[in-house]
């Protein structure tokens, strides 16, 4: 009799609890709020994008220093050294920070030359939050700027963050780092070029004591059509009254609202301006993530495309095609994507319809580039003032093949940055 | 109304609500991950009566490489025995003096021994048996280059069988001067490749996807060299026909590689060939 009296309230209480539990799970389950992602799926499948945030923001350059102090720039014909290293260093957590030196170029250079280390370099300053996202680690230390990460191979409990601009060195105490794994990556057969660090107008740059023999590359030019981009990025407006104007040298697309695109007919350069693109916050990592998402949205091929640098003065991020661990430069903008953040809601993106997707056998397999010393004397003889030179880097020059249609030859050479522009050193000599 | 009745009404309402919430919960957890999109497509394919085994979602690594059919085979051919051979271009065409008997069930074992013997097959150690490409009238060994099999006649040994299932001879192509053109890069998963192939209308309703494999396919010829890239190769059997058609998806970009009419075996420049 008692039981019969009890089952009703007990059943009611369980039913209420179950419904509470279920609704709680529904509210907290991100899948529920993500139901709209089903419509996104179709968009996902037509973009052939295989490049993740982590892939595009890999460090630009890897330098290893041996136990005897010999420094080498590392590339590899078989694997991507930067991504292999990144995958091996994703586990560590940080506990403590210690400042080592500041504003002292001698000490800074000594730190760069530290024996038995591997150095991951970016061309412009990063933040800790960015580094955490790009490498998937748990570095929870005060946010600060740096452009080089140094990992001592004989001391797995520390790493150093270095900033070229302020000559600031920070020592970070690590947990869960496995130097053995890094050594394993580095023990793979690498292409090694002996280098050393030198100061160039207050900035450390890599100097090559001997002339450098580098692989030459050839690619088949992949050309995307204007209408591909027009359909992808200009037809999002619901009233979809896109206006197309054909000019002598260019075609412009306008959606009477927030988006504008113009394509130069002779250079294939596309300029896309978006006035309706809200950035959540202006922190570095957020800006970079926003830029990455916009690149994916526009849908240009991102294979081999990597972050080159970010100029805080003009708020411009540059991405370049990387081949064999070195960037491709071109004055007309081939092989690069430029993204200028105009303000919190708008940006301007410049890229090319042409891209390098399919490598083909090069005419010559290697080419030789002069040593840094020769380069500097030649520049001096040509009348380039030493204090005008902002940066020097090895890279590949983009030239169209004269005989083979739609083929681009990439030949290694020195690139010199003067007044914010990268040019080949041959251009300065003539 | 007494309290007991109110309790019963509440109980019924709450149980109904539980059922509703449970259904909702079940449904929303389906559309959770990124793979959901592909799963929907796979379901759509099943509805179109396309049969296939569940594709993997793993990403692999592959290379672009260049190679050619040069003179290595010609040089090695001088030391080959027990066969009469000739060259058709760079292809070695050979006939065994005595047809080789293949005991049933030991096809692979018997041929592996022959292929491994340098006095019978030149450079045989670089080839491996492909059950996928082989058929009743032809056994195919594929060359392995850059950690993957070459599904292209530019790097294969094809053993011809007569009506008594004896190997009468073979033709061989050998890829040499292999040069990696780019460091290893990630490929798309088999699942993505299959769903793309379907979305490009390359798999008709009622077809059967017999097998799939990540293998190298020739993309183009430049400067006298063949350029290969990793592709997902699917063997599609259309319900009305008895032959398989090989469909190839660029494993980097997901594009379907079109090589003309898929049903012609004599397509000289084509990578698509049929097997019965």
């Amino acid at each position: 009799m008692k039981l019969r009296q009890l089952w009703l309230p007990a059943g009611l209480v369980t039913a209420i609890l179950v419904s509470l539990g279920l609704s709680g799970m529904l509210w907290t389950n991100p899948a529920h709020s993500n139901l709209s992602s089903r419509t996104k799926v179709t968009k996902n499948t037509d973009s052939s994008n295989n490049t993740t945030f982590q892939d595009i923001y890999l460090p630009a350059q890897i330098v290893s220093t041996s136990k005897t102090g010999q420094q080498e720039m590392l590339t590899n014909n078989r694997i991507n050294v930067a991504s292999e290293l990144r995958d091996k260093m994703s586990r560590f957590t940080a506990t403590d920070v210690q400042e080592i030196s500041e504003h002292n170029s001698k000490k800074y250079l000594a730190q760069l030359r530290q024996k038995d280390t591997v150095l991951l370099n970016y061309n412009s300053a990063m933040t800790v939050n960015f580094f955490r996202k790009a490498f998937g680690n748990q570095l929870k230390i005060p946010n600060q700027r740096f452009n080089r990460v140094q990992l001592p191979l004989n001391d797995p409990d520390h790493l150093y963050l270095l900033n070229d601009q302020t000559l600031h060195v920070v020592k970070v105490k690590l947990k869960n780092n496995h130097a053995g794994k890094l050594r394993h990556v580095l023990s793979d057969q690498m292409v090694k070029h002996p280098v050393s660090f030198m100061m160039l107008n207050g900035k450390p740059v890599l100097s090559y004591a001997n002339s450098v023999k580098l692989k030459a590359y050839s690619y088949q030019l992949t050309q995307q059509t204007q209408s591909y981009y027009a359909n992808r990025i200009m037809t999002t407006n619901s009233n979809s009254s896109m206006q197309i104007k054909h000019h002598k040298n260019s075609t412009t697309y306008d959606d009477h609202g927030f988006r504008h695109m113009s394509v130069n007919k002779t250079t294939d350069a596309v300029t896309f301006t978006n006035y309706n693109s809200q950035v959540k916050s202006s922190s570095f990592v957020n800006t970079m993530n926003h830029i990455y998402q916009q690149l994916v949205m526009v849908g240009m091929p991102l294979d081999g495309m990597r972050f080159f640098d970010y100029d805080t003065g003009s708020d411009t991020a540059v991405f370049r095609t990387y081949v064999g661990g070195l960037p491709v430069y071109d004055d007309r903008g081939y092989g690069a994507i430029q993204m200028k953040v105009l303000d919190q809601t708008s940006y301007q993106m410049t890229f090319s319809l042409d891209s390098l997707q399919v490598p083909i056998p090069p005419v010559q397999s290697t080419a030789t580039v002069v040593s840094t010393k020769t380069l500097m004397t030649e520049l001096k003889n040509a009348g380039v003032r030493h204090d005008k030179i902002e940066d020097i880097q090895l890279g590949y020059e983009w030239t169209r093949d004269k005989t083979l249609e739609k083929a681009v030859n990439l030949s290694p050479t020195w690139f010199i940055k003067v007044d914010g522009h990268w040019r080949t050193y041959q251009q300065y000599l003539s | 109304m007494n309290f007991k009745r109110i309790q019963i009404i509440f109980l019924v309402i709450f149980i109904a609500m539980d059922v509703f919430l449970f259904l909702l919960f079940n449904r929303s957890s389906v559309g959770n991950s990124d793979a959901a999109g592909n799963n929907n497509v796979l379901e759509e394919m099943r509805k179109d009566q396309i049969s296939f085994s569940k594709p993997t979602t793993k990403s692999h690594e592959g290379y672009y490489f260049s190679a050619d059919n040069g003179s290595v085979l010609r040089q090695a051919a001088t030391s080959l025995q027990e066969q009469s051979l000739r060259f058709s271009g760079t292809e070695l065409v050979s006939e065994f003096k005595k047809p080789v008997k293949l005991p049933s069930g030991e096809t692979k074992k018997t041929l592996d021994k022959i292929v491994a013997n340098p006095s019978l097959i030149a450079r045989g150690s670089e080839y491996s048996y492909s059950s996928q490409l082989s058929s009743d009238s032809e056994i195919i060994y594929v060359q392995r280059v850059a950690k993957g099999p070459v599904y292209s006649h530019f790097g294969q040994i094809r053993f011809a069988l007569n009506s008594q299932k004896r190997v009468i001879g073979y033709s061989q192509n050998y890829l040499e001067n292999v040069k990696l053109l780019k460091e290893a890069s990630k490929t798309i998963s088999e699942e993505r490749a299959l769903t793309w192939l379907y979305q490009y209308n390359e798999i008709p309703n009622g077809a059967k996807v017999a097998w799939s494999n990540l293998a190298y396919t020739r993309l183009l010829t430049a400067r006298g060299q063949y350029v290969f890239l990793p592709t997902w190769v699917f063997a599609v059997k259309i319900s009305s026909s008895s032959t398989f058609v090989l469909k190839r998806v660029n494993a980097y970009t997901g594009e379907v590689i079109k090589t003309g009419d898929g049903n012609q075996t004599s397509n000289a420049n084509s990578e698509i060939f049929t097997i019965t």
Side-chain angles (χ1 to χ4, degrees), chain B residues 2-276:
Chain B
N2 65 18
F3 185 62
K4 201 178 166 189
R5 263 178 96 178
I6 294 175
Q7 274 183 319
I8 289 174
I9 291 168
F10 265 74
L11 186 65
V12 169
I13 291 173
F14 269 98
I15 286 174
M17 210 163 111
D18 284 350
V19 170
F20 172 72
L21 283 174
F22 184 74
L23 287 178
L24 201 67
F25 179 74
N26 251 2
R27 208 210 258 159
S28 71
S29 52
V30 170
N32 192 353
S33 68
D34 238 11
N38 288 334
N39 278 336
N40 288 347
V41 179
L42 294 183
E43 230 151 75
E44 231 173 89
M45 288 173 68
R46 296 228 188 263
K47 274 181 202 153
D48 281 349
Q49 318 258 304
I50 297 168
S51 69
F52 55 91
S53 52
K54 194 173 166 37
T56 59
T57 52
K58 220 179 123 210
S59 160
H60 299 259
E61 277 195 341
Y63 299 88
Y64 271 107
F65 70 84
S66 69
D68 60 13
N69 290 142
S71 55
V72 166
L73 273 190
R74 256 175 217 279
Q75 287 159 17
T78 50
S79 57
L80 292 179
Q81 292 160 8
E82 291 174 57
Q83 53 196 289
S84 59
L85 53 88
R86 62 182 173 87
F87 275 91
S88 144
T90 52
E91 187 178 39
L92 168 70
V93 184
S94 170
E95 206 174 301
F96 287 126
K97 288 193 173 144
K98 269 190 230 153
V100 181
K101 206 177 151 189
L102 295 177
S104 69
E106 289 187 14
T107 308
K108 181 179 182 296
K109 207 175 148 193
T110 318
L111 279 174
D112 273 353
K113 268 189 202 156
I114 293 174
V115 170
N117 187 343
S119 64
L120 291 177
I121 302 283
R123 301 265 172 169
S125 59
E126 292 171 48
Y127 295 81
S128 64
Y129 174 69
S130 166
S131 61
Q132 294 179 336
L133 297 180
S134 299
S135 65
D136 288 343
S137 58
E138 198 175 42
I139 307 287
I140 295 183
Y141 273 67
V142 295
Q143 195 180 344
R144 291 188 72 86
V145 181
K147 292 182 182 166
V150 175
Y151 276 24
S152 147
H153 71 267
F154 296 106
Q156 284 176 349
I157 307 174
R158 295 151 164 260
F159 291 98
L161 303 186
N162 64 10
S163 50
Q164 285 108 49
K165 299 278 170 231
R166 282 168 195 242
V167 182
I168 41 176
Y170 67 94
S171 60
Q172 181 182 12
N173 273 304
Y174 178 72
L175 286 172
E176 58 193 79
N177 286 324
V178 174
K179 288 195 182 90
L180 300 184
L181 296 176
K182 203 176 169 181
E183 64 265 45
S185 5
K186 270 189 289 179
T187 67
I188 58 170
S189 70
E190 182 189 354
E191 186 183 86
R192 274 193 116 177
L194 181 66
T195 50
W196 260 319
L197 196 64
Y198 171 71
Q199 285 171 333
Y200 282 118
N201 286 328
E202 293 285 332
I203 311 177
N205 290 0
K208 184 184 174 199
V209 180
W211 51 261
S212 66
N213 201 6
L214 187 65
Y216 286 104
T217 295
R218 188 190 62 139
L219 182 68
L220 51 95
T221 307
R223 296 192 171 119
Q225 301 279 311
Y226 306 132
V227 175
F228 287 83
L229 90 166
T231 49
W232 280 106
V233 183
F234 295 94
V236 179
K237 188 181 173 186
I238 298 157
S239 51
S240 56
S241 111
S242 62
T243 59
F244 291 105
V245 178
L246 297 192
K247 301 272 186 186
R248 293 161 193 261
V249 178
N250 183 327
Y252 289 135
T253 63
E255 275 169 298
V256 177
I257 298 179
K258 301 242 178 182
T259 33
D261 191 350
N263 277 323
Q264 284 176 4
T265 11
S266 59
N267 209 335
N269 202 18
S270 162
E271 293 294 55
I272 285 187
F273 47 88
T274 55
I275 44 179
T276 42

Side-chain angles (χ1 to χ4, degrees), chain A residues 99-332:
Chain A
E99 259 176 51
I100 303 245
S101 78
E102 214 173 328
H103 305 306
N104 186 329
S105 60
K106 250 191 188 160
K107 275 189 184 167
Y108 193 79
L109 275 180
Q111 184 67 44
L112 285 177
R113 290 174 183 147
Q114 215 180 67
K115 289 169 186 170
D116 206 13
T117 57
V118 58
L119 197 61
L120 314 175
N121 300 329
Y122 281 98
N123 289 319
S124 55
M126 305 284 107
T127 64
V128 175
N129 292 343
F130 172 87
F131 182 54
R132 199 162 51 220
K133 188 167 164 69
F135 278 72
N137 59 34
Q138 297 295 319
L139 220 58
K140 282 180 184 143
I141 55 171
N143 208 10
Q144 50 199 304
R145 290 191 167 259
F146 59 92
N147 67 316
R148 298 178 199 270
V149 180
Q150 190 178 47
L151 295 149
L153 293 173
N154 50 10
D155 175 14
D157 298 335
H158 292 99
L159 72 78
Y160 298 88
L161 305 177
L162 298 95
N163 188 334
D164 280 2
Q165 243 173 357
T166 58
L167 304 181
H168 202 100
V169 182
V170 171
K171 189 177 183 178
V172 182
K173 198 163 180 222
L174 292 184
K175 264 187 187 169
N176 300 336
N177 181 27
H178 300 287
K181 283 187 184 170
L182 296 182
R183 271 195 209 279
H184 184 78
V185 174
L186 296 172
S187 66
D188 198 278
Q189 211 177 17
M190 299 274 177
V191 182
K192 296 173 174 176
H193 301 291
V195 288
S196 63
F197 278 99
M198 66 166 200
M199 283 308 221
L200 176 76
N201 299 321
K203 187 186 160 113
V205 293
L206 275 185
S207 152
Y208 295 74
N210 309 312
S211 56
V212 198
K213 207 173 168 189
L214 288 165
K215 256 186 105 164
Y217 291 88
S218 263
Y219 274 79
Q220 189 193 40
L221 194 71
T222 309
Q223 272 174 313
Q224 193 52 272
T225 56
Q226 291 185 28
S227 55
Y228 167 80
Y229 291 112
N231 286 332
R232 264 189 89 90
I233 56 184
M234 297 305 293
T235 53
T236 49
N237 203 344
S238 50
N239 59 24
S240 72
S241 57
M242 179 169 62
Q243 190 181 49
I244 306 172
K245 276 186 187 165
H246 296 278
H247 303 280
K248 201 180 166 197
N249 295 324
S250 66
T251 312
T252 58
Y253 300 80
D254 201 291
D255 76 340
H256 298 294
F258 301 111
R259 290 173 177 216
H260 182 85
M261 180 173 100
S262 90
V263 183
N264 187 314
K265 279 179 189 160
T266 45
T267 62
D268 284 349
V270 184
T271 312
F272 170 58
T273 320
N274 188 346
Y275 297 102
N276 184 23
S277 171
Q278 191 75 35
V279 199
K280 271 186 221 145
S281 84
S282 57
S283 77
F284 184 76
V285 62
N286 260 329
T287 311
M288 288 300 140
N289 193 30
H290 178 70
I291 291 174
Y292 166 70
Q293 280 169 356
Q294 294 309 306
L295 297 181
V296 173
M297 187 275 290
V298 171
M300 67 276 276
L302 294 176
D303 307 311
M305 198 52 94
R306 268 160 64 185
F307 176 61
F308 181 72
D309 70 356
Y310 184 75
D311 183 40
T312 40
S314 61
D315 288 321
T316 306
V318 176
F319 297 80
R320 290 187 194 281
T321 309
Y322 270 71
V323 291
L326 292 175
V328 173
Y329 295 85
D330 187 90
D331 335 349
R332 292 148 299 178

